Amino acid sequence: MSSAQEQTVALTGVSGFIGRAVAARLLGKGLRVRALFRPGTAIPVELAAKVEVVVGDVTDPSVWSRLVGGAGALVHLASAGVSRAETATTLLDTNVRPVEAMLGAAKAAGCTRVVLAGSCFEYGATGDRIGERGLVEEDALAPVTTYGASKAAATLLLGALARDLGLEAFVLRPFHVYGPGEPATRLVPAVIRMAMKGEPIRVTHGMQERDLVFVDDVAEAFCMAASVSWPLALRANSSAVLNLCGGKATQLRQVVHATTDFMGVQRSRIAFGAVPARPNEVKRLIGDSTTALRQLGWSATTPLGEGLRRTVLALGGMPDRQ
């Protein structure tokens, strides 16, 4: 592999929440980034002049050879169903079926490292079944949503094909990622927005337990996975699944309280239970990141309070105190 190839990373999902952070971090490390954008997608101003742009859709098999040619690693973050509901057909077409074409193109181009974004929702109901410990990568996959099922299918397919093709493949499973740039409909930005507008803060019961991890920590893990030497423990295998999490259970009502307390908002404005919880929602999704530390040298380092502070400021600073 040439030096130029080693220094080039192909990246999908660049316009997404995690993708923007990964692109910025790769560029900050002096790497070249070849980024895939769907036709008609606005390219973020901060990236337009810094990345090599490839226009196409992940569902088009021909796009992969254009994207990975001359790249030493591929980081695949593009996914349907992350921030809005999609049909099962769309999830299969976007999250699962492209895996074969993606790995075939990587093999043909000499792109030996593939990093796929998985999801904690692959574990699904297992999160409620295991008791107080954190989920480990060997735990059963029991998704309760079509999105989680599609991500689990992609993980399994990637592992099998990577072995067949002799590629090095990481699947990184982020847990509850938050931070600047998070979609506005998700919990933390929605609470901040309602607080700043002076509206009642309408949320679910908030008893769900989640493992929150700051977006910059997650972005660093993807960058590390793209370039780290293949761990000795994996020499007999072609793929590794790693949880990206802090390993700490936090009730979502604690997140709401911490955010509004920092903003100086009266807790009396919070209406827990005003929004119904999702049907079949898993109550507890907490991970164990021991494998990521051992194989990648990664751990989450941003405390929740600091991450929430940075998120509030990024969304417009402190509101008028009431």
Side-chain angles (χ1 to χ4, degrees):
M1 186 184 298
S2 68
S3 176
Q5 188 170 12
E6 290 177 346
Q7 294 295 311
T8 301
V9 177
L11 181 62
T12 73
V14 192
S15 57
F17 171 40
I18 297 174
R20 291 193 301 273
V22 172
R25 217 164 188 88
L26 288 169
L27 292 167
K29 294 176 182 291
L31 296 169
R32 300 183 185 93
V33 175
R34 182 180 299 130
L36 180 67
F37 291 92
R38 294 179 66 183
T41 300
I43 300 174
V45 174
E46 68 273 17
L47 296 178
K50 298 178 181 179
V51 302
E52 179 184 346
V53 174
V54 174
V55 177
D57 195 289
V58 297
T59 61
D60 176 5
S62 69
V63 79
W64 294 105
S65 58
R66 291 190 287 124
L67 181 65
V68 301
L74 165 65
V75 178
H76 181 37
L77 295 164
S79 182
V82 178
S83 57
R84 65 181 183 183
E86 299 282 5
T87 66
T89 298
T90 297
L91 293 170
L92 285 169
D93 288 345
T94 306
N95 297 350
V96 184
R97 291 195 173 99
V99 171
E100 182 179 12
M102 176 179 75
L103 293 189
K107 177 67 174 180
C111 177
T112 58
R113 177 69 56 83
V114 176
V115 184
L116 174 71
S119 170
C120 64
F121 292 108
E122 296 176 54
Y123 294 116
T126 301
D128 287 337
R129 294 172 183 159
I130 61 170
E132 294 301 309
R133 70 170 175 84
L135 288 154
V136 296
E137 292 80 1
E138 294 78 17
D139 280 323
L141 303 184
V144 297
T145 64
T146 50
Y147 169 72
S150 73
K151 298 300 284 185
T155 291
L156 296 172
L157 183 58
L158 182 93
L161 286 177
R163 284 190 292 274
D164 290 346
L165 296 172
L167 299 174
E168 300 170 345
F170 279 110
V171 177
L172 304 187
R173 283 182 182 145
F175 275 62
H176 194 106
V177 187
Y178 74 101
E182 188 176 3
T185 55
R186 292 176 63 173
L187 177 65
V188 173
V191 168
I192 294 170
R193 184 182 68 253
M194 287 184 284
M196 295 182 72
K197 289 183 175 180
E199 299 172 352
I201 299 168
R202 304 177 72 256
V203 291
T204 70
H205 54 71
M207 302 301 290
Q208 309 94 321
E209 291 183 305
R210 295 292 183 262
D211 192 333
L212 278 80
V213 57
F214 192 61
V215 64
D216 287 355
D217 291 340
V218 170
E220 177 64 15
F222 278 96
C223 293
M224 293 172 72
S227 59
V228 71
S229 296
W230 195 240
L232 183 62
L234 297 174
R235 292 288 168 83
N237 202 340
S238 288
S239 64
V241 180
L242 309 179
N243 291 334
L244 302 183
C245 56
K248 181 180 179 181
T250 302
Q251 283 191 348
L252 293 186
R253 63 171 47 216
Q254 293 176 273
V255 177
V256 175
H257 282 152
T259 303
T260 53
D261 287 352
F262 177 73
M263 298 177 72
V265 173
Q266 297 281 340
R267 288 192 177 187
S268 59
R269 285 178 50 194
I270 304 171
F272 286 114
V275 176
R278 295 185 181 92
N280 302 318
E281 184 174 25
V282 175
K283 297 179 179 64
R284 178 181 170 86
L285 273 177
I286 310 302
D288 182 315
S289 63
T290 302
T291 303
L293 179 61
R294 184 175 68 248
Q295 295 186 357
L296 203 59
W298 177 90
S299 62
T301 60
T302 306
L304 179 60
E306 171 60 15
L308 291 174
R309 184 189 72 83
R310 289 165 62 180
T311 306
V312 169
L313 295 178
L315 287 176
M318 304 299 291
D320 294 334
R321 296 189 178 270
Q322 299 178 20

